[in-house]
Amino acid sequence: MGSAECQPLLHGLYAHNRISDLSSDAIEESLEHRPLEFRLWLRLVAWESRILWLLSWASIVVELCNYMLSFVTLIFSGHLGTLELAGASIASVGMQGLAYGIMLGMASAVQTVCGQAYGAKKYPAMGIICQKAIILHLGAAVLLTFLYWYSGPILIAIGQSESIAEQGQIFAHGLIPQLYAFAIYCPMQRFLQAQNIVNPLAFMSCGVFLLHILLSWLVVYVLDYGLLGAALTQSFSWWILVFVTSLYILLSPSCKETWTGFSIQAFKGIWPYLKITVASAVMLCLEIWYSQGLVLISGLLPNPTISLDSISVCMNYLNWDIEFMLGLSAATSVRVSNELGAGHAKVAKFSVLVVNATTILISTVFSIIVLVFRVALSRLFTSDAEVIEAVSNLTPLLAISVFLNGIQPILSGVAIGSGWQSVVAYVNLATYYLIGLPIGCVLGFKTSLGVTGIWWGLVIGVFLQTVTLIILTARTDWNIEVQKATERLKKSAEDDTLDLVVATK
């Protein structure tokens, strides 16, 4: 089995009756004394998988339920007619997607800085950071309101037909209240996640999602308020989510140390924090806007209604898959960063292998489901035979994208946990915008492929990014990453960077 000196260690691992009794320290030592028996590998995989799912299940539920608010709204909009679905889709991608990228990107700075404050046990600073972020998010929402209000002329200016732009503007006007709810909710969500408070978020998101289904049915089918009613219902559901999350922060004992009330200090040090926020927003927007840009481009094709409807239906299912994987990606970031910080290079590498094997298996299953139920999935959005056929023609490419997007977000999570954000930003810029997007435009407009050609551009961009991240991960010396993590921790302690960002004294 191995050298004699390994026997006591391995015996200790075998002696644990419960997987939960294993520790990172013991596993790090065991991985340094390979080869290991097959049954021990199984125990290690079970241990890592247990931690992974404990971390990720709530994040997955939150991401999926929040995304499904828009998903359900589009389903109800699609049954109003193909033109209404095209208008709602273009507004969701062009307007809501733009705001989504900006708000989520800005909110990622909350998680970073609040996480530092939580680790440094500067709990009162977290509430100040959250308030500071809400102020900046609301400022961004005010600016984005003009974009929403004049969405019709903007959509026409970028080449959309007048009929689609008109419906898109109606839908966008109904989403303006949601914009402000999103501006408040995003910082609060990251504020709670930084404290590892994820289960309550999952329960609240799930409850609001179920209520949203009922409200959407009531408004669209019973009261017959049409497309504007569907959009306003989505906005209302987001405000319910803001309300219940705010109540939790204000009343829960879990937040009594981190939320000490509203403070004037939230208006101090705005500029340094703004710089961090903008950098985070740009980094995330590069990825989010790529697929949304391809949807906008599809509206410039001949017969734009069918093109938009088909690619929007497929993109919604792809986004559903991405949201699921983003929950796993968040857990991966936590696992990798925690183990690197603890000096466990072998466990960090092992964690990467386990999570990627898990997501490859899940993505394979999802891809098969897409191929088998291609017609049924399209009927959820529309009963138009032409749109159903167009969606069915795209589903093989959708299946490929689902598989790739099961790997790519996880590798991005590894990169974030390892501190490679700037490298990944350059990778995204090159593979998505310099390669994938131009190829999609050429295939879509210069060949007979049409919307299929545009989707090929998406597949090629994601494939190249995934391959690049695989190479980066495979070439990583995890012992060096441990040293880098240690140096970063020491530097943070010496520079006291939290006090530079937030004046808490």
Side-chain angles (χ1 to χ4, degrees):
M1 180 177 67
S3 62
E5 61 180 314
C6 302
Q7 299 299 325
L9 171 64
L10 299 182
H11 175 74
L13 290 179
Y14 283 127
H16 291 297
N17 293 323
R18 296 186 304 173
I19 297 295
S20 58
D21 291 335
L22 297 175
S23 67
S24 292
D25 292 331
I27 291 175
E28 177 71 17
E29 291 185 57
S30 69
L31 290 174
E32 290 178 352
H33 296 88
R34 291 184 295 174
L36 303 178
E37 286 187 358
F38 180 71
R39 58 173 176 158
L40 182 55
W41 279 114
L42 291 180
R43 285 178 62 81
L44 297 184
V45 170
W47 173 80
E48 180 62 41
S49 298
R50 175 183 176 274
I51 295 178
L52 175 67
W53 288 107
L54 284 176
L55 287 172
S56 61
W57 83 266
S59 296
I60 291 172
V61 170
V62 171
E63 296 290 345
L64 285 178
C65 287
N66 291 349
Y67 171 72
M68 289 294 283
L69 296 179
S70 298
F71 188 83
V72 167
T73 300
L74 284 179
I75 288 178
F76 280 97
S77 300
H79 287 282
L80 293 172
T82 56
L83 185 60
E84 286 82 357
L85 176 59
S89 298
I90 202 70
S92 293
V93 172
M95 305 303 145
Q96 187 182 9
L98 176 67
Y100 183 82
I102 292 174
M103 295 292 185
L104 279 188
M106 293 174 66
S108 64
V110 179
Q111 195 162 10
T112 299
V113 184
C114 276
Q116 292 176 355
Y118 191 73
K121 297 184 179 180
K122 295 187 176 182
Y123 300 129
M126 298 183 67
I128 305 298
I129 295 166
C130 182
Q131 294 172 52
K132 195 186 301 291
I134 290 175
I135 293 170
L136 292 177
H137 277 69
L138 288 174
V142 171
L143 297 177
L144 289 169
T145 298
F146 293 97
L147 187 69
Y148 275 53
W149 188 256
Y150 295 103
S151 55
I154 292 173
L155 291 173
I156 293 175
I158 62 175
Q160 304 299 325
S161 67
E162 290 188 9
S163 57
I164 291 177
E166 180 183 359
Q167 296 299 316
Q169 179 170 277
I170 292 173
F171 193 79
H173 285 177
L175 292 180
I176 290 176
Q178 182 219 9
L179 182 60
Y180 290 88
F182 206 56
I184 299 173
Y185 177 76
C186 281
M188 292 195 301
Q189 179 191 5
R190 297 302 190 272
F191 168 75
L192 292 173
Q193 286 177 334
Q195 306 171 63
N196 298 317
I197 301 175
V198 289
N199 290 357
L201 280 172
F203 295 134
M204 289 185 285
S205 295
C206 187
V208 171
F209 165 62
L210 295 176
L211 178 62
H212 178 65
I213 296 176
L214 176 62
L215 291 175
S216 296
W217 171 80
L218 180 65
V219 170
V220 175
Y221 283 121
V222 178
L223 300 178
D224 195 24
Y225 283 159
L227 192 61
L228 180 61
L232 287 172
T233 302
Q234 181 175 321
S235 295
F236 181 70
S237 296
W238 270 99
W239 273 105
I240 295 176
L241 192 57
V242 169
F243 178 73
V244 295
T245 306
S246 300
L247 281 182
Y248 182 87
I249 292 174
L250 293 174
L251 302 178
S252 173
S254 301
C255 300
K256 64 180 181 180
E257 291 185 90
T258 55
W259 182 269
T260 56
F262 295 98
S263 173
I264 193 66
Q265 291 187 29
F267 293 92
K268 298 179 181 179
I270 286 285
W271 177 246
Y273 183 76
L274 177 62
K275 290 190 289 185
I276 299 175
T277 299
V278 170
S280 300
V282 170
M283 183 173 61
L284 189 59
C285 285
L286 281 175
E287 189 162 333
I288 292 177
W289 290 347
Y290 175 58
S291 58
Q292 294 168 342
L294 292 176
V295 175
L296 288 174
I297 291 171
S298 69
L300 305 178
L301 291 168
N303 196 1
T305 301
I306 300 300
S307 299
L308 266 177
D309 285 352
S310 59
I311 199 171
S312 296
V313 169
C314 290
M315 193 62 69
N316 270 283
Y317 284 115
L318 179 61
N319 287 339
W320 187 88
D321 173 71
I322 291 174
E323 295 297 331
F324 180 92
M325 293 301 173
L326 283 177
L328 284 170
S329 176
T332 304
S333 297
V334 173
R335 288 292 299 129
V336 172
S337 59
N338 284 352
E339 297 300 345
L340 289 178
H344 299 151
K346 301 291 185 183
V347 177
K349 182 178 180 179
F350 182 69
S351 177
V352 171
L353 294 175
V354 171
V355 71
N356 275 286
T358 301
T359 54
I360 288 173
L361 178 61
I362 294 173
S363 297
T364 301
V365 173
F366 284 175
S367 298
I368 293 173
I369 291 174
V370 166
L371 291 173
V372 172
F373 297 101
R374 61 171 69 184
V375 175
L377 292 175
S378 60
R379 288 189 185 277
L380 283 176
F381 280 89
T382 182
S383 56
D384 186 277
E386 194 172 358
V387 176
I388 291 174
E389 182 182 359
V391 172
S392 297
N393 292 335
L394 277 177
T395 46
L397 289 177
L398 174 60
I400 296 174
S401 299
V402 166
F403 181 79
L404 291 175
N405 279 287
I407 304 172
Q408 179 268 332
I410 305 305
L411 294 175
S412 295
V414 173
I416 292 171
S418 304
W420 307 338
Q421 291 95 327
S422 59
V423 175
V424 175
Y426 285 115
V427 171
N428 290 348
L429 181 63
T431 57
Y432 288 165
Y433 295 94
L434 299 183
I435 300 176
L437 188 61
I439 290 176
C441 290
V442 171
L443 293 178
F445 292 96
K446 298 299 182 180
T447 71
S448 60
L449 291 175
V451 68
T452 303
I454 291 177
W455 197 287
W456 267 115
L458 171 67
V459 170
I460 292 170
V462 174
F463 174 77
L464 291 175
Q465 190 224 27
T466 303
V467 170
T468 305
L469 292 179
I470 289 174
I471 294 172
L472 287 174
T473 305
R475 291 172 58 88
T476 298
D477 186 327
W478 293 99
N479 290 310
I480 293 178
E481 293 303 320
V482 167
Q483 295 174 9
K484 290 180 180 179
T486 303
E487 291 171 2
R488 281 194 294 268
L489 289 173
K490 288 181 179 179
K491 188 175 186 301
S492 296
E494 292 169 359
D495 293 345
D496 200 13
T497 52
L498 284 173
D499 286 339
L500 294 176
V501 178
V502 183
T504 59
K505 296 182 180 180

